[in-house]
Amino acid sequence: MISLQEFKDALGDEATKLTEEEILKLRDNMDKMADIFFTMWLEERKK
């Protein structure tokens, strides 16, 4: 998982429109999505 500051930097100006809690939830959700997509990709590679 990337640091909170790296995530804020990646969001750019959009980060100023969100609360700290919203940013944390967004980062966590994106991390979960990345895990899901990686698992799907890995399963497909095994076929």
Side-chain angles (χ1 to χ4, degrees):
M1 183 181 299
I2 66 173
S3 72
L4 182 58
Q5 188 57 51
E6 286 177 301
F7 191 72
K8 285 180 178 180
D9 292 345
L11 288 175
D13 292 337
E14 293 300 315
T16 62
K17 300 174 185 175
L18 302 170
T19 67
E20 190 85 4
E21 184 178 333
E22 290 172 322
I23 293 171
L24 288 169
K25 285 182 182 179
L26 184 58
R27 182 186 66 166
D28 290 343
N29 286 338
M30 292 188 84
D31 189 57
K32 289 174 186 172
M33 286 176 53
D35 283 342
I36 291 167
F37 288 129
F38 181 75
T39 300
M40 289 170 60
W41 173 81
L42 193 57
E43 289 298 318
E44 187 63 31
R45 296 269 298 159
K46 288 180 182 179
K47 292 181 181 177

